[in-house]
Amino acid sequence: MTADTATSIAFEPAQRIRAIGVSEILRITDHANALKRAGRPVIVLGAGEPDFDTPQNVRDAAVQAIGRGDTRYTVLDGSPAMKAAVQLKFRRDNALDFALDEISVSAGAKQVIFNALMASLDPGDEVILPAPYWTSYADIVQICGGVPVPVAGTEANGFRLDAAQLEAAITPRTRWLFLNSPSNPSGAAYSADQLKPLCEVLLRHPRVWVLADDIYEHILYDGLAFATPVAVEPRLRERTLTVNGVSKAYAMTGWRVGYGAGPRALIAAMAVVQSQTTSCPSSISQAAAIEALTGPQDIVAQRCADFQARRDFVVAALNRAPGLHCRVPEGAFYTFASCAGVLGRRTRGGMLLQTDSDFCRYLLQDFEVAVVPGSVFGLAPYFRISYATSMAQLEEACKRIQAACEALE
Ligand SMILES: Cc1ncc(COP(=O)(O)O)c(C=O)c1O
């Protein structure tokens, strides 16, 4: 059959997603899980989700919602009760007051971010991403026609963006600055004093909006006080979207509920995007999220204490491995360690380690530990460990990483 007479031609993806693959983190995790299924004792430290269960009161609330028949579409961007729960959360945790029409609820914080960019970016608009950054930011920006502008952080500065870097990165095309504290992948967090100089730069650039991704707010260690830009500088309120969700704080990744609060006009534009994508977040999941946000909160601090013990263990273990160096992250459940000291060395199998990806491949192939290279997050040579897994698994994984570094020639 010639091309002219063929009944179909090969699928061609649309221009807007051609340069974007499925998340590299998912790819590594899938590969590691396939090895596990094949019987290899692989430890996967890739996933960004708590290993805890969703609290019982939250699960019960969902069951009750089904029993009550809360099974229909809700208001497009969140039921009134759900928005009231978000309103309460912002008052209680952040001393911020938002009206219900300044709040948008979606199927996860990821959809909140997607809606915001879809609703605001024109082709060529720039989004400043302090690196290392959550990989999805860059991909969402590109899908929405924007241009990601990574600004590399340094370990010396705790992987935090500083005011001079921000000033230098702003151009007439800059539409958004993303701030994510505590950060995925670095675990770095900004105090109010560290946010202030950034806010001052932003006040000089009224066209630049701020997306504050606060999803790891409740996983912050050593008694540090959480800070978010609008609370630090109320004059930024008219151009800030504060994003949060229940996935990480309440171990609810599969329920898919996230929310954002910001200026009415933006929230209304985001509702237009949502109306033609998911219509509304799941009614059952909203009932569960209401209970998570308004019910007893003690579990949040308990889990944070558990994560802190794991962080302390992993950081100490990594710093004992020859060639690795790990700063102490302030929050989230990730370590972001440098592997600069192992590059240029050879494995016993003769492979020369030239990049952080090589090192991660070596850890998986020869020592059966799956971690994610820093280059995926826009900063090399590092690797990210998610320590949202049991202490027993972490102990074994760290032993293997130590052995892998000691085995290098
Ligand atoms: C920084 C950051 N923001 C947002 C999300 C998305 O969370 P959700 O499950 O609410 O979509 C994640 C999940 O990994 C994340 O790491």
Side-chain angles (χ1 to χ4, degrees):
M1 199 182 282
T2 66
D4 287 349
T5 57
T7 52
S8 59
I9 51 169
F11 171 73
E12 288 269 353
Q15 199 70 47
R16 77 176 76 82
I17 63 147
R18 234 168 252 179
I20 300 165
V22 171
S23 147
E24 177 73 6
I25 303 173
L26 292 184
R27 208 189 51 71
I28 292 169
T29 307
D30 284 352
H31 178 52
N33 284 331
L35 291 175
K36 251 170 121 171
R37 280 195 300 277
R40 303 238 330 241
V42 176
I43 300 178
V44 185
L45 304 178
E49 64 180 339
D51 55 320
F52 301 116
D53 288 330
T54 301
Q56 191 60 48
N57 61 316
V58 174
R59 292 196 260 171
D60 291 345
V63 172
Q64 283 158 18
I66 295 171
R68 268 197 316 270
D70 283 3
T71 54
R72 298 174 185 277
Y73 293 130
T74 69
V75 174
L76 189 57
D77 58 356
S79 69
M82 177 68 212
K83 289 192 177 194
V86 172
Q87 189 178 51
L88 178 147
K89 175 262 171 290
F90 276 117
R91 278 191 193 132
R92 178 190 62 213
D93 299 344
N94 312 105
L96 292 173
D97 237 320
F98 290 103
L100 297 189
D101 60 358
E102 294 176 307
I103 291 169
S104 178
V105 183
S106 294
K110 187 183 262 180
Q111 197 191 3
V112 177
I113 296 167
F114 182 86
N115 289 349
L117 294 189
M118 200 66 177
S120 62
L121 289 184
D122 282 319
D125 282 349
E126 295 173 1
V127 178
I128 297 175
L129 303 178
Y133 51 79
W134 183 41
T135 51
S136 289
Y137 293 154
D139 291 344
I140 297 173
V141 168
Q142 285 178 283
I143 288 176
C144 294
V147 179
V149 178
V151 179
T154 62
E155 215 175 313
N157 201 24
F159 298 117
R160 283 179 282 262
L161 180 71
D162 69 30
Q165 286 179 306
L166 174 58
E167 186 74 65
I170 293 174
T171 76
R173 295 306 310 260
T174 306
R175 197 72 209 272
W176 289 92
L177 162 68
F178 274 35
L179 288 173
N180 172 216
S181 170
S183 149
N184 174 8
S186 71
Y190 292 80
S191 66
D193 281 347
Q194 287 160 338
L195 283 177
K196 268 181 205 145
L198 299 178
C199 294
E200 264 148 40
V201 173
L202 291 163
L203 289 174
R204 291 198 290 276
H205 297 277
R207 264 185 50 84
V208 179
W209 284 55
V210 183
L211 190 145
D213 181 346
D214 293 352
I215 193 110
Y216 295 99
E217 167 180 15
H218 292 297
I219 309 173
L220 186 60
Y221 309 129
D222 304 316
L224 291 177
F226 177 74
T228 192
V230 173
V232 169
E233 178 45 82
R235 284 176 290 174
L236 289 177
R237 184 178 163 123
E238 284 316 309
R239 51 186 165 113
T240 299
L241 180 68
T242 304
V243 177
N244 211 320
V246 295
S247 287
K248 317 288 176 174
Y250 304 96
M252 291 178 67
T253 45
W255 298 79
R256 310 309 303 129
V257 178
Y259 52 86
R264 271 185 195 94
L266 171 65
I267 296 293
M270 288 164 62
V272 173
V273 179
Q274 185 143 299
S275 73
Q276 303 306 345
T277 50
T278 49
S279 291
C280 66
S282 144
S283 57
I284 315 297
S285 296
Q286 289 186 69
I290 291 169
E291 174 61 21
L293 292 174
T294 62
Q297 298 295 302
D298 33 323
I299 198 144
V300 175
Q302 273 166 34
R303 287 178 172 178
C304 182
D306 289 341
F307 279 132
Q308 182 166 333
R310 297 176 189 182
R311 174 204 64 173
D312 292 344
F313 172 78
V314 173
V315 170
L318 291 174
N319 281 323
R320 280 195 299 273
L324 303 185
H325 169 72
C326 186
R327 83 177 273 278
V328 181
E330 289 85 13
F333 38 67
Y334 308 103
T335 57
F336 197 66
S338 165
C339 55
V342 298
L343 300 189
R345 302 184 61 190
R346 272 184 200 281
T347 69
R348 287 201 179 146
M351 173 185 170
L352 177 65
L353 300 181
Q354 289 178 296
T355 63
D356 51 12
S357 297
D358 291 344
F359 178 62
C360 295
R361 214 168 299 126
Y362 164 61
L363 284 184
L364 181 57
Q365 278 170 11
D366 293 12
F367 289 84
E368 301 178 315
V369 180
V371 299
V372 186
S375 45
V376 166
F377 308 99
L379 199 69
Y382 291 90
F383 65 102
R384 188 193 79 170
I385 283 180
S386 165
Y387 53 85
T389 190
S390 72
M391 203 57 158
Q393 289 265 296
L394 292 172
E395 281 169 8
E396 176 58 25
C398 287
K399 234 188 259 168
R400 293 185 194 178
I401 293 172
Q402 169 106 18
C405 293
E406 282 168 357
L408 291 171
E409 286 164 0

